[in-house]
């Protein structure tokens, strides 16, 4: 109440009573001209009002009186600081005061004029939705504490119902089209309540349909409705009126029936520039009814351009053809945004179409240089370059050639036996994008060109030497992409080949220190072979670690298969083999995405993603047909590497509900499973699932959760089955600062593979008791072009503890996980 004058009243509550019942829906709330000061969810504190109250309304006069009007104070302050510093200090006080005002929110004072406007808004809202006899009033309850509540009373009466819909269409050809085709899908239906938005929607629907049926001059203004409710006993009789075309002459206006327009010619100018408009065309050709012109020599294969144009000679005019042409030509990534002009021919009902294409530069060269530092790298330098070539084969193809190189110094680079720059990586990538499906036969009937299909072929190779295992990778992808609708994306990897060769497997236990420490502890207890140990009594690697593992698994130590330590050694050995083995993955996959977002500001939508991947089937069948030999592990090999064979499926569903007042409730459900078979008994590490991290279960760090209820201390925990469920309540705190409360649940397990640890295996519904639950809160600052996010996750239910002791064991800030991310987690 600090800034509320004695004659004013602070608005604390709006209430709308509709036919005796309270209505607090978002639709009603949006009609209020005045709303109480915003409050923090749960706490109910008007934080922004308190911030506003910290500001001084007359800061200039206060500073003038306290400082400038006091010569003694000015004198000692300028002695202590300086005149310039004093002025800067005063300016900073003004800036702080201004920030408090702008960040805060002034008290909302009851304004009766705005209250009357709100009552009128309510009346109009119900009138537009069929309650034509609605009556509204309001009451302002003023308290002695200068707080006031406003109650709006709405009596709707009975709604008016659509009783009849008659068409009065002046143009016979439009009338015939309406009666035969368009009437069936009308949004205005007999027996339903009158809703004004349905009439607007029907006007848009009819306009779109007629604009796509050849009526070039048609627009929404030609459609109107005559509505009769007099003496109808709350029935609405409606006449749909579509007038003839209006033609303005010099001193009069006449009306004539609409006519269907057809495309007479399609002219394509392939290298148009404004400065070329007066030059003579040098090259031209006719292809499938399209006229192609060029101010220079034609640089594109005609079919490439005509396949991208949906406007066809002899067809009737359709607005949708123009939209699809714009989209397809833009997706070629070869031209700037095209210009499409329709010119009416005076002698008949035909249109000449001129399409102006302005090519982008054929060559683009880019460079990038980075300096980095991390917890394993003292300093690193990286350089990358890329050459982009447009229309490389005269079919609007884009060829991208890129290369990268980096060097760095690890924390151990000071060792005199090692060079300073002991980390390096080099790589190259070649990618060709073709704006159509590259296939031996015509695919138009299966995937029409309006779905803007494209083909991507890429090859890449990298070689890296670092303080890890060192590796070389080769990859190749043959991919198709197309859009059945504006909300659906289909992506097919026809072939995806990945080859990974580890070069420094002897350093495995130098990289995975947790595994080494556990193995070393067991060895110090049970090992008697001094040759495995260094002078400090620790296992050497790889000789000592490999020798000790071999002794344990061959029962040459005191450990037996029933001992927990024996099981630990076995698990460590299996993990070492998985992470050090070379991988050859030859897979095919299909991705389906349905995104119902209307635009980036839409907060009420859903996203469905589905992926199915198969690997190794082709190589397996070829190996069988050719009678290839198997290795000692009963596996086929290609170039000395056992190829992976598995099936992998992923399902991801996200749903957002806009609750109004910048409140959003969001949920996510994710399920994934990868099953090895045939030539494999496990999933490659790169294709496994992990849990934890800023976009997963935020109470655990990435790779730190699971599998199942196992108490593993591995640096990277992974498995081949995953469940993840999340829910989040998002709300505004003040300005661009938002908050969130969240609960995450999920885990990873092993299933149908060679893992033997029972705690890590999913054995049916009983394993769902091992789903980990994390909860917490977060702050997010909206920079408009991205969101900086900080979340704190607390381990609420931890399956690594024994049953009956899993709830709230580490539920404190000391054991919390602090996540930093960009944009929302889902």
């Amino acid at each position: 109440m600090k800034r509320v004058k004695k004659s004013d009243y602070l608005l604390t509550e709006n209430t709308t009573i509709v036919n005796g019942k309270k209505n607090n829906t978002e639709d009603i709330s949006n009609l209020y001209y005045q709303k109480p000061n915003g409050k923090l969810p749960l706490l109910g504190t008007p934080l922004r009002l308190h911030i506003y109250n910290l500001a001084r309304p007359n800061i200039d006069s206060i500073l003038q009186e306290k400082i400038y009007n006091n010569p003694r104070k000015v004198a000692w302050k300028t002695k202590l600081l300086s005149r310039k510093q004093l002025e800067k200090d005063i300016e900073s006080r003004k800036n702080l005061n201004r920030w408090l005002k702008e960040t805060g929110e002034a008290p909302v004072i009851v304004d009766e004029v705005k209250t009357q406007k709100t009552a009128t808004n309510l009346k109009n809202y119900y009138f537009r939705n069929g309650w034509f006899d609605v009556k509204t009033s309001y009451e302002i309850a003023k308290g002695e504490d200068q707080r006031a509540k406003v109650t709006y009373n709405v009596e709707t009466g009975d709604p008016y119902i659509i009783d009849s819909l008659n068409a009065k269409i002046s143009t016979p050809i439009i009338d015939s089209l309406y009666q035969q085709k368009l009437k069936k899908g009308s949004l205005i239906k007999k027996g339903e309540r009158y809703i004004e938005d349905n009439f607007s929607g029907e006007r848009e629907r009819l306009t779109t349909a007629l604009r796509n049926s050849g009526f070039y001059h048609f627009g929404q203004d030609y459609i109107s409705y005559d509505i009769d409710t007099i003496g109808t006993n709350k029935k609405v009789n409606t006449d749909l009126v579509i007038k003839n075309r209006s033609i303005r002459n010099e001193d009069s206006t006449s009306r004539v029936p609409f006519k269907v327009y057809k495309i007479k010619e399609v002219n394509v100018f392939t290298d148009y520039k404004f400065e070329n408009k007066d030059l003579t065309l040098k090259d031209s050709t006719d292809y499938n009814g399209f006229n192609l012109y060029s101010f220079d020599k034609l640089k594109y294969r005609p079919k490439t351009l005509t396949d991208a144009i949906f406007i066809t000679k002899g067809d009737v005019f359709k607005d949708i053809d123009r939209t699809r042409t714009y989209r397809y030509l833009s997706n070629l990534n070869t031209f700037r945004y095209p210009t499409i002009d329709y010119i009416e021919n005076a002698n008949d009902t035909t249109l000449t179409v001129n399409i102006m294409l302005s090519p982008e530069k054929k060559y683009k060269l880019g460079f990038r240089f980075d300096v980095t530092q991390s917890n394993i790298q003292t300093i690193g330098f990286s350089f990358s370059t890329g050459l982009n070539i447009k229309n490389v084969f005269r079919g609007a193809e884009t060829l991208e050639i890129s290369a990268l190189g980096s060097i760095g110094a690890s924390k151990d680079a000071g060792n005199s036996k090692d060079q300073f720059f002991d980390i390096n990586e080099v790589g190259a990538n070649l990618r060709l994008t073709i704006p159509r499906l590259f296939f031996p036969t015509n695919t138009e009937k299966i995937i029409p060109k309006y779905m803007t299909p494209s083909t991507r072929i890429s090859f890449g190779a990298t070689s890296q030497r670092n303080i890890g295992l060192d590796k070389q990778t080769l990859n190749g992808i043959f991919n198709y992409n197309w859009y059945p609708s504006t909300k659906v994306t289909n992506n097919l990897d026809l072939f995806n080949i990945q080859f990974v060769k580890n070069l420094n497997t002897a350093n495995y236990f130098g990289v995975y220190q947790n595994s080494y420490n556990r193995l070393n502890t067991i060895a110090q207890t049970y090992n008697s072979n001094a040759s495995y140990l260094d002078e400090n009594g620790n296992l050497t690697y790889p000789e000592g670690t490999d020798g000790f593992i071999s002794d344990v698994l061959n029962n040459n130590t005191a450990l037996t298969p029933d001992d927990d330590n024996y099981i630990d050694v076995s698990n460590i050995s299996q993990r070492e083999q998985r992470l050090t083995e070379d991988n050859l993955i030859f897979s095919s996959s299909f991705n389906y995405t349905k995104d119902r977002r209307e635009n980036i500001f839409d907060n009420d939508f859903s996203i469905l993603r589905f992926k199915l991947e198969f690997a190794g089937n082709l190589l397996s069948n070829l190996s069988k047909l050719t009678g290839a030999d198997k290795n000692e592990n009963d596996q086929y090999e290609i170039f000395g590497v056992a190829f992976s064979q598995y099936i992998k499926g992923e399902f991801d569903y996200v749903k957002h509900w806009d609750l109004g007042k910048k409140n959003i409730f969001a949920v996510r459900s994710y399920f994934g499973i990868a099953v090895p078979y045939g030539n494999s008994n496990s999933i490659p590490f790169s294709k496994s699932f992990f849990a934890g991290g800023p976009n997963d279960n935020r109470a655990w760090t990435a790779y730190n959760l699971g599998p199942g209820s196992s108490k593993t201390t591995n640096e990277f925990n992974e498995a081949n089955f995953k469940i993840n469920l999340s829910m989040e309540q998002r709300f505004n705190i003040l300005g661009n600062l938002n908050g969130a409360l969240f609960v995450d649940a999920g885990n990873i397990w092993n299933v149908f593979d060679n893992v033997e640890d029972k705690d890590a295996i999913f054995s049916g519904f009983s394993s769902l008791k091992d789903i980990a639950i994390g909860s917490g809160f977060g702050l997010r600052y909206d920079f408009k072009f991205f969101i900086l996010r900080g979340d704190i996750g607390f381990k609420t239910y931890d399956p690594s503890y024994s049953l009956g002791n899993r709830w709230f064991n580490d539920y404190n800030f000391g054991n919390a996980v602090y996540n930093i991310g960009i944009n929302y987690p889902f």
Side-chain angles (χ1 to χ4, degrees):
M1 305 299 294
K2 187 175 182 180
R3 304 298 178 199
V4 179
K5 297 178 182 178
K6 291 185 178 181
S7 59
D8 292 333
Y9 288 82
L10 180 72
L11 178 62
T12 60
E13 185 180 351
N14 283 325
T15 303
T16 297
I17 307 297
V18 181
N19 298 328
K21 294 181 180 180
K22 187 177 179 180
N23 186 327
N24 59 356
T25 62
E26 181 66 14
D27 287 342
I28 296 300
S29 178
N30 288 336
L31 301 174
Y32 296 139
Y33 266 88
Q34 277 191 305
K35 298 179 182 180
N37 292 97
K39 297 179 180 179
L40 289 177
L42 303 179
L43 300 177
T45 303
L47 177 61
R48 293 186 64 193
L49 174 57
H50 288 307
I51 292 174
Y52 182 88
N53 286 341
L54 294 175
R56 308 297 292 268
N58 50 346
I59 186 68
D60 290 332
S61 58
I62 290 173
L63 292 173
Q64 181 71 32
E65 179 65 28
K66 282 190 173 183
I67 298 177
Y68 288 120
N69 291 350
N70 189 335
R72 293 180 62 187
K73 183 174 287 190
V74 172
W76 74 260
K77 274 185 174 287
T78 51
K79 261 188 182 182
L80 181 65
L81 301 171
S82 75
R83 185 74 185 192
K84 188 174 182 180
Q85 290 175 320
L86 173 61
E87 291 176 353
K88 283 189 173 294
D89 176 58
I90 292 173
E91 186 62 29
S92 67
R93 295 190 193 186
K94 292 181 180 179
N95 290 337
L96 174 61
N97 198 76
R98 188 182 304 112
W99 180 87
L100 291 172
K101 280 187 174 182
E102 292 174 352
T103 304
E105 182 182 39
V108 178
I109 306 302
V110 173
D111 184 333
E112 191 155 358
V113 173
K114 292 181 179 179
T115 305
Q116 291 173 352
K117 287 184 176 180
T118 298
T120 302
N121 258 5
L122 288 166
K123 183 174 183 178
N124 292 338
Y125 170 80
Y126 281 97
F127 188 92
R128 290 194 303 268
N129 284 279
W131 287 278
F132 294 164
D133 300 327
V134 62
K135 296 178 181 179
T136 59
S137 61
Y138 63 87
E139 299 172 6
I140 302 176
K142 299 179 179 179
E144 295 181 358
D145 57 356
Q146 288 186 261
R147 291 176 170 84
K149 299 179 180 180
V150 179
T151 301
Y152 298 94
N153 295 294
V154 179
E155 295 293 334
T156 64
D158 295 328
Y160 280 65
I161 306 299
I162 302 294
D163 188 54
S164 65
L165 176 63
N166 301 310
K168 295 183 178 180
I169 303 174
S170 301
T171 300
I173 190 172
I174 294 181
D175 185 45
S176 176
L177 181 63
Y178 176 81
Q179 298 297 339
Q180 293 177 16
K181 294 183 178 181
L182 303 181
K183 184 177 181 181
K184 185 182 294 184
S186 177
L187 302 179
I188 306 170
K189 294 180 172 60
K190 182 178 179 179
E192 292 187 357
R193 174 168 50 89
Y194 172 93
I195 299 175
E196 188 174 292
D197 286 347
N198 287 345
F199 285 76
S200 300
E202 177 67 1
R203 180 184 285 112
E204 292 179 6
R205 185 186 75 91
L206 292 176
T207 301
T208 299
L210 294 173
R211 292 277 297 174
N212 288 327
S213 300
F215 298 100
Y216 173 69
H217 290 287
F218 195 85
Q220 279 195 34
D221 292 345
Y222 288 105
I223 301 176
S224 61
Y225 300 97
D226 289 338
I227 296 174
D228 180 21
T229 59
I230 298 176
T232 61
N233 193 25
K234 299 189 184 296
K235 303 293 184 181
V236 179
N237 297 317
T238 305
D239 290 336
L240 167 67
V241 179
I242 300 180
K243 298 178 180 179
N244 280 333
R245 178 189 170 193
S246 175
I247 299 178
R248 290 188 179 181
N249 301 313
E250 292 184 1
D251 55 356
S252 64
T253 300
S254 61
R255 288 193 176 273
V256 298
F258 283 99
K259 295 179 180 179
V260 173
Y261 279 72
K262 290 188 175 183
I263 307 301
K264 184 176 183 179
E265 284 185 313
V266 181
N267 302 318
V268 184
F269 298 87
T270 64
D271 55 355
Y272 177 80
K273 295 179 182 178
F274 181 77
E275 54 268 28
N276 292 346
K277 61 183 178 60
D278 296 324
L279 298 181
T280 303
L281 293 165
K282 293 183 180 180
D283 198 359
S284 65
T285 186
D286 177 79
Y287 183 83
N288 285 349
F290 294 87
N291 303 318
L292 306 179
Y293 300 101
S294 178
F295 292 96
D296 204 341
K297 185 178 179 180
L298 186 63
K299 299 177 181 179
Y300 306 91
R301 288 200 302 272
K303 188 176 187 305
T304 298
L305 300 179
T306 58
D307 279 353
I309 298 171
F310 293 82
I311 307 166
T312 306
K313 181 179 179 179
D315 284 357
V316 299
F317 164 80
K318 294 179 183 177
D319 239 358
I320 192 172
D321 288 344
R322 172 164 46 184
T323 302
R324 287 173 172 172
T325 300
Y326 273 128
R327 188 174 69 176
Y328 202 122
L329 287 171
S330 298
N331 285 342
L332 290 178
N333 292 320
T334 301
F335 305 99
R336 299 182 183 92
Y337 196 74
T339 300
I340 301 177
D341 292 330
Y342 286 85
I343 300 173
E344 185 177 358
N345 297 306
N347 299 327
D348 52 26
T349 56
T350 62
L351 301 167
T352 296
V353 182
N354 293 328
I355 301 176
M356 313 294 186
L357 303 178
S358 299
E360 294 187 357
K361 291 182 179 180
K362 185 176 181 66
Y363 300 99
K364 286 185 179 179
L365 184 63
F367 298 94
R368 179 170 176 169
F369 179 77
D370 291 309
V371 180
T372 57
Q373 191 274 339
S374 69
N375 61 336
I376 63 171
Q377 185 174 258
T378 304
I379 191 169
F381 303 95
S382 63
F383 171 82
S384 62
T385 182
L387 176 64
N388 191 300
I389 308 175
K390 303 284 187 182
N391 194 38
V392 63
F393 300 122
R394 298 184 67 242
E397 305 90 352
T398 301
L399 179 65
E400 299 173 66
I401 305 171
S402 60
L404 63 90
S406 66
I407 57 173
S410 73
K411 299 292 187 182
D412 299 329
N415 191 322
S416 60
K417 297 180 181 179
D418 209 348
Q419 60 181 347
F420 181 69
F421 288 112
D422 58 340
I423 299 175
N424 62 68
E425 180 178 7
V426 292
N429 191 71
L430 186 71
R431 182 168 68 178
L432 177 67
T433 302
I434 305 171
R436 57 194 169 277
L437 292 189
F438 187 70
F439 200 76
T441 60
N442 192 342
T443 59
E444 175 68 20
K445 292 183 179 180
I446 303 173
I447 302 176
K449 67 178 184 179
Y450 75 81
M451 295 183 182
T452 59
S454 63
T455 303
R456 179 168 60 94
I457 305 171
S458 68
F459 301 96
T462 60
S463 178
Q464 56 182 226
R465 177 181 179 272
N466 52 38
I467 61 173
L469 300 181
D470 301 346
K471 60 184 177 181
Q472 292 175 340
T473 62
L474 295 171
N475 64 77
I477 299 175
F478 192 99
N479 169 270
Y480 294 134
N481 193 79
W482 68 97
Y483 303 89
S485 71
T486 56
K487 299 184 184 303
V488 175
T489 301
N490 288 334
N491 192 289
L492 173 65
D493 275 355
L494 194 61
F495 301 113
N496 189 327
I497 305 170
Q498 300 175 52
F499 174 73
V500 179
K501 182 176 180 61
N502 293 302
L503 305 177
N504 189 17
T505 58
N507 194 35
Y508 174 80
F509 286 106
V511 176
Y512 297 97
Q513 284 288 312
N514 287 349
S515 295
Y516 172 79
N517 292 336
R518 178 60 181 150
L519 187 67
N520 191 43
T521 300
I522 298 173
Q524 289 174 343
T525 305
Y526 294 95
N527 180 49
S528 58
N529 192 333
S531 66
Y532 297 160
L533 308 176
D534 62 16
E535 61 273 14
N536 297 317
N538 296 316
L539 282 173
T540 60
Y541 55 82
E543 294 84 2
T545 51
D546 290 349
F548 177 66
I549 290 173
S550 177
D551 284 351
V552 171
L553 299 183
N554 289 311
N555 299 315
N556 293 328
T557 67
L559 286 169
T560 66
D562 294 328
D563 291 331
D564 288 341
N565 287 323
Y566 181 98
I567 294 172
D568 283 350
V569 173
S570 177
N571 290 338
I572 290 171
S573 176
Q574 289 179 358
R575 183 173 174 80
E576 180 191 8
Q577 292 173 16
R578 285 198 59 213
L579 299 188
T580 58
E581 68 181 0
D582 297 335
N583 293 131
L584 175 60
I585 304 172
F586 195 105
S587 66
S588 299
S589 65
F590 175 73
N591 284 271
Y592 172 88
T593 302
K594 188 169 188 176
D595 189 340
R596 294 183 177 274
R597 275 179 295 191
E598 298 294 335
N599 51 62
I600 60 174
F601 304 107
D602 188 2
N603 291 319
D604 200 318
F605 63 89
S606 64
I607 301 175
L608 172 66
R609 300 183 182 94
F610 173 76
K611 180 179 181 180
L612 187 63
E613 179 178 0
F614 294 91
N617 294 336
L618 179 60
L619 296 182
S620 179
N621 291 329
L622 288 175
S623 298
K624 291 176 182 178
L625 288 173
T626 57
D629 295 328
K630 292 187 176 182
N631 61 19
E632 63 274 13
N633 296 319
D634 197 33
Q635 294 174 305
Y636 292 113
E637 292 184 345
I638 302 291
F639 305 122
V641 178
F643 57 83
S644 299
Q645 190 170 9
Y646 60 85
I647 179 174
K648 182 178 182 181
E650 297 176 76
F651 175 86
D652 191 4
Y653 180 74
V654 174
K655 173 64 179 171
H656 288 204
W657 286 273
D658 191 343
L659 305 180
K661 300 179 181 178
K662 297 184 178 181
N663 281 277
I664 298 168
F665 184 67
V667 298
R668 182 195 184 194
S669 58
Y670 176 91
F671 302 91
I673 186 171
V675 180
Y677 64 95
N679 211 54
S680 297
N681 53 25
S682 65
I683 298 298
F685 180 81
S686 62
K687 296 295 183 177
S688 300
F689 301 107
F690 73 91
N695 296 321
D696 199 81
N697 197 321
R698 285 161 279 186
W700 280 263
T701 56
Y703 293 98
N704 196 38
L705 174 59
S709 60
S710 58
K711 301 175 179 61
T712 175
T713 57
N714 292 328
E715 289 87 349
F716 299 100
N717 294 308
E718 42 78 37
N720 65 331
F721 177 54
K722 177 175 180 177
I723 297 175
N724 182 59
L725 306 167
S726 295
M727 62 178 64
E728 186 170 280
Q729 177 68 52
R730 301 166 185 170
F731 51 87
N732 180 254
I733 297 177
L734 58 91
N736 293 328
L737 181 64
N738 301 301
L741 301 172
F742 62 83
V743 176
D744 300 323
N747 207 335
I748 55 174
W749 294 266
N750 289 92
V751 60
F752 305 126
D753 62 3
N754 61 352
V755 173
E756 299 175 358
D757 185 355
K758 293 181 179 180
D759 292 335
I761 297 174
F762 188 87
S763 55
F765 286 107
S766 61
S767 295
L768 295 179
K769 67 180 182 299
D770 297 331
I771 288 182
I773 300 176
S775 58
F777 61 90
L779 296 175
R780 292 87 189 274
Y781 193 85
D782 189 351
F783 286 96
K784 302 304 181 184
F785 52 93
F786 76 93
I787 293 169
L788 180 62
R789 171 168 56 92
D791 291 326
I792 303 177
F794 300 92
K795 295 177 177 63
T796 309
Y797 179 87
D798 190 345
S800 66
Y801 285 93
S802 59
L803 277 173
N805 188 38
R806 294 180 171 181
W807 288 99
F808 303 108
N809 277 296
D810 299 315
Y811 201 87
N812 51 63
F813 284 97
N815 290 295
V817 173
Y818 298 83
N819 301 277
I820 296 177
I822 300 297
N823 295 327
Y824 289 110
F826 57 88

